[in-house]
Amino acid sequence: MTRHGLPAAAGTGGPDEFPRSWWGDAWVRALEENAPDPARLSRGRGYARRGFVDAITVTPGHVTAAVHGTRPRPYRTALRLQVLTDAEWNDFLDAVSAEPAHIAALLDKDMPQALVAAADRAGVQLLPGPGDMDPSCSCPDVGRPCKHAAALCYETARLLDTDPFVLLLLRGREESELLDALTRRNAARAAREKAAGTPAATAAVVAREALSGTARPPLPAPLAAPTAAAYPPAFPEPAGAPSAEALEFLALDAAARAQAYLADGADPFAVRSAWQDAVRLAATHPHLSGRQSFSARFAQLAASTGRTAQELSRAVAAWRQGGAEGLAVLDHLWDPPAGDFDRARSALAAADFPRMTIRHNRLTDPRGFVQLRYGRDGRWYPYRSDGGREDWWPEGPADEDPVGALTGSLYG
């Protein structure tokens, strides 16, 4: 289950701001009573209040989220909680179904203390105690919890305020699964009461009138396209699952492509080959690499296509020059027809540039430092080779004017 960005808390930061329900308060106490550094808790509370916690993902035993800090990329933060065993769930369901008021309270998004007390008597601990939560974070702070994990804890308490089924999911069971189990227990209890001659409470809901008509309300107006792609929720990391960071990387890319499609109709599937898609991913995703420094993820992406990290880095520079056409200019020689290509050398000579040598669609400064490559899109792509070696790298943006390409990128 993923819940997107709760609105920033509107309170003043007083002790009653996080949370408002008694069970949410018990959740926060479980963290605070075992935290060695109150200052980290205070900073975490401030982070939560200012909306630094992105979408929260809840799975059995885990709460995960991306929490923003001082660097551009958010940190991956998680809280872990022990799930209940099947036997403990059976005892809990027996305790709840024994009292219809408990079921009604859950359906009303309430968790009465009597329900938790009944669970405790059955030997089932729903709410965490001090030390039961295990926080973790990708930030360099060795404190447990760090301010990011504390912020996630406070935001989770706000989530628990609105829906106690979040706590039950953390303990291992989804809402629909619990309600189905309670329904079966209620039906079994009603059958036993009927067999024993005990009047059973019944309730009837007639739905056929609501479904028999053909009139339907009009569809709402479509939502406006988002102005930017939202950062994806943090993914859980169960044993044997794909890398959460790799999933986050792909989800962010998918969100960016969907946002571009909604905003301007850009084809999200325009890239056709695995190599092109790897280059596009590396070129459009932040925090991956520079020309000489490569992240582990960048190297893995290169290896997945059978290329080296340096080859991928060169291709990324070409993609940033001109997308798929820029990549084609990097990889392929071709022979342009007479016309603009032939006139380019004269235009460059008139602008006092050295007379270029010709090889297919490439014009090269005889000194060996600068090269222009002519693309099938009619643009000129500037390249540079440091030290006069045959090691050409895309350098600057493409231009329809060869003089402009050289002046703006290489000689400017």
Side-chain angles (χ1 to χ4, degrees):
M1 179 193 75
T2 297
R3 295 289 179 87
H4 289 275
L6 294 170
T12 59
D16 296 329
E17 182 183 337
F18 293 101
R20 292 184 172 86
S21 65
W22 74 268
W23 60 88
D25 184 62
W27 170 273
V28 169
R29 284 201 310 274
L31 180 80
E32 293 181 339
E33 291 178 5
N34 201 53
D37 186 357
R40 283 191 176 92
L41 294 180
S42 177
R43 290 195 291 272
R45 185 187 289 263
Y47 275 23
R49 187 186 310 121
R50 297 197 296 274
F52 284 12
V53 181
D54 280 347
I56 297 175
T57 299
V58 182
T59 56
H62 295 82
V63 184
T64 53
V67 180
H68 293 270
T70 55
R71 68 177 188 178
R73 185 180 180 188
Y75 297 103
R76 287 185 48 79
T77 308
L79 301 171
R80 291 174 174 82
L81 193 67
Q82 186 69 38
V83 299
L84 301 179
T85 65
D86 289 343
E88 288 173 324
W89 275 115
N90 191 61
D91 293 339
F92 170 74
L93 291 170
D94 284 343
V96 173
S97 59
E99 177 55 64
H102 293 340
I103 302 174
L106 282 177
L107 292 174
D108 200 34
K109 304 299 183 183
D110 188 17
M111 184 179 289
Q113 290 180 311
L115 185 155
V116 176
D120 286 341
R121 289 193 297 271
V124 180
Q125 182 183 356
L126 286 181
L127 292 164
D132 285 351
M133 283 189 286
D134 180 22
S136 63
C137 185
S138 62
C139 76
D141 189 347
V142 297
R144 294 174 67 87
C146 66
K147 54 184 176 290
H148 311 103
L152 176 57
C153 178
Y154 288 120
E155 280 299 272
T156 304
R158 295 177 65 200
L159 196 58
L160 291 171
D161 276 347
T162 62
D163 187 358
F165 278 103
V166 171
L167 176 62
L168 299 176
L169 175 58
L170 263 173
R171 286 302 197 182
R173 297 288 176 89
E174 294 186 358
E175 178 178 352
S176 59
E177 184 180 3
L178 289 173
L179 294 180
D180 286 346
L182 289 172
T183 299
R184 290 193 295 271
R185 277 171 165 74
N186 276 344
R189 180 170 58 84
R192 289 193 300 270
E193 292 174 349
K194 182 177 182 180
T198 304
T202 60
V205 177
V206 179
R208 67 174 61 92
E209 290 83 358
L211 299 175
S212 61
T214 59
R216 296 291 184 270
L219 293 174
L223 297 175
T227 57
Y231 206 86
F235 292 92
E237 299 185 71
S243 162
E245 287 195 0
L247 290 174
E248 178 185 286
F249 173 79
L250 293 174
L252 181 58
D253 174 69
R257 294 168 79 178
Q259 189 275 330
Y261 178 70
L262 290 172
D264 55 27
D267 183 359
F269 304 106
V271 175
R272 303 304 178 190
S273 71
W275 169 240
Q276 279 193 356
D277 203 39
V279 174
R280 181 195 60 79
L281 277 169
T284 57
H285 197 285
H287 319 302
L288 276 185
S289 80
R291 179 177 293 189
Q292 301 298 334
S293 62
F294 311 113
S295 68
R297 190 184 306 158
F298 188 92
Q300 291 168 357
L301 187 61
S304 71
T305 62
R307 308 293 183 101
T308 67
Q310 187 179 51
E311 287 174 324
L312 180 57
S313 181
R314 196 191 311 264
V316 163
W319 188 276
R320 289 172 177 162
Q321 271 193 327
E325 180 59 29
L327 186 60
V329 167
L330 170 70
D331 290 337
H332 303 294
L333 290 168
W334 67 288
D335 293 314
D340 291 340
F341 182 80
D342 295 325
R343 288 190 288 270
R345 283 208 308 168
S346 299
L348 292 169
D352 293 328
F353 288 111
R355 188 164 183 82
M356 300 285 195
T357 61
I358 300 176
R359 180 169 178 259
H360 299 287
N361 61 320
R362 299 175 182 179
L363 299 180
T364 304
D365 185 323
R367 294 171 296 182
F369 290 93
V370 172
Q371 186 178 88
L372 283 178
R373 299 186 180 185
Y374 189 58
R376 295 180 186 272
D377 59 354
R379 294 192 296 169
W380 293 90
Y381 291 79
Y383 277 67
R384 178 185 292 278
S385 177
D386 295 333
R389 297 178 290 115
E390 284 292 319
D391 183 31
W392 297 104
W393 282 81
E395 188 79 23
D399 197 309
E400 293 182 357
D401 176 17
V403 175
L406 283 183
T407 302
S409 305
L410 303 172
Y411 289 108

